[in-house]
Amino acid sequence: MGLFGRKNDTDTVTTSTAAAPAAVSPDLAALTGEYTIDPSHTTIGFVARHAMVTNVKGSFLDFTGSLHLDGSEPSRSTASLDIKMESIDTGNADRDGHLKSADFFKTDEFPEMTFRSTKTEALGGDDYRVTGDLTILGTTKPVTIDLEFNGSAKDPFGNERVGFEGKAEILRSEWGLTWNAALETGGMLVSDKIKLSFDISAIKAGS
């Protein structure tokens, strides 16, 4: 996943492009390395429209992930994420049970959802775009995530951290998630479009 354009909130913004690699800040180059996503300080969420009038929010509570960040050449950065589908949580046990059932995620047959990045693009400033393969129900489709770098810091335990926020939109039907119910007033119970959100903190290996 791409390494973003500043060291922390007080540093000068530095933009890296293929045309001017010499402009890369030494601070950014120092962030190059392997990172592990910290699940206790990370949220992977989603929002679905319900009954055409309101939003239902949820998240996944059990996941692992890793990043390779390249501060000198962000396009070489990569990301990997594995999510346990049994950990889905919308704040309602009955709804969560339905989502785990054969109508939706079939968690007994497909226990994980995965993401593997294939491309990272610098958009300027702290903004990046990561494209990758998202696999749900055994079906793999490309998805694009827009990301904003939130900075880097050393925590009180000596861990070097990077943080960023991301968002994406998918059509669940493209992964075979087609269950729905018609409303008497028109429209469908659950939206096809799902909004994904990421608020991620990752720890550098060896820090």
Side-chain angles (χ1 to χ4, degrees):
M1 205 168 275
L3 182 65
F4 304 141
R6 56 187 165 91
K7 172 68 174 174
N8 55 42
D9 290 339
T10 61
D11 286 344
T12 300
V13 172
T14 303
T15 302
S16 171
T17 67
V24 173
S25 162
D27 285 342
L28 290 177
L31 292 179
T32 296
E34 307 301 322
Y35 290 76
T36 299
I37 292 175
D38 176 8
S40 63
H41 295 93
T42 295
T43 301
I44 300 174
F46 61 88
V47 177
R49 198 75 169 163
H50 180 262
M52 308 289 291
V53 297
T54 190
N55 291 322
V56 171
K57 298 180 180 180
S59 63
F60 297 96
L61 306 181
D62 188 0
F63 51 85
T64 58
S66 62
L67 314 176
H68 169 72
L69 303 185
D70 190 324
S72 298
E73 185 54 64
S75 64
R76 298 175 181 171
S77 300
T78 60
S80 174
L81 188 62
D82 297 270
I83 299 170
K84 301 293 186 184
M85 300 308 292
E86 278 286 338
S87 72
I88 195 168
D89 180 17
T90 65
N92 182 287
D94 289 340
R95 181 168 54 221
D96 294 345
H98 190 199
L99 290 171
K100 297 173 189 179
S101 75
D103 283 342
F104 286 95
F105 290 115
K106 306 177 184 176
T107 57
D108 289 342
E109 185 178 355
F110 301 99
E112 287 192 336
M113 171 171 60
T114 65
F115 175 80
R116 301 290 184 266
S117 66
T118 57
K119 182 180 180 181
T120 302
E121 302 170 85
L123 303 181
D126 295 330
D127 296 326
Y128 283 69
R129 181 166 291 153
V130 173
T131 302
D133 292 329
L134 179 65
T135 301
I136 308 173
L137 297 178
T139 297
T140 301
K141 298 280 187 179
V143 65
T144 298
I145 304 171
D146 288 327
L147 296 162
E148 180 180 1
F149 182 52
N150 286 339
S152 66
K154 180 174 284 190
D155 69 23
F157 306 100
N159 298 309
E160 293 282 355
R161 290 180 179 268
V162 293
F164 53 90
E165 295 177 67
K167 60 183 180 179
E169 292 184 356
I170 64 172
L171 299 178
R172 62 187 180 90
S173 59
E174 294 186 351
W175 282 266
L177 293 162
T178 57
W179 184 92
N180 225 320
L183 302 174
E184 291 185 6
T185 53
M188 305 302 291
L189 182 64
V190 184
S191 63
D192 190 21
K193 182 171 72 175
I194 305 296
K195 297 179 180 180
L196 306 177
S197 62
F198 309 87
D199 193 350
I200 293 178
S201 179
I203 299 172
K204 191 174 186 180
S207 63

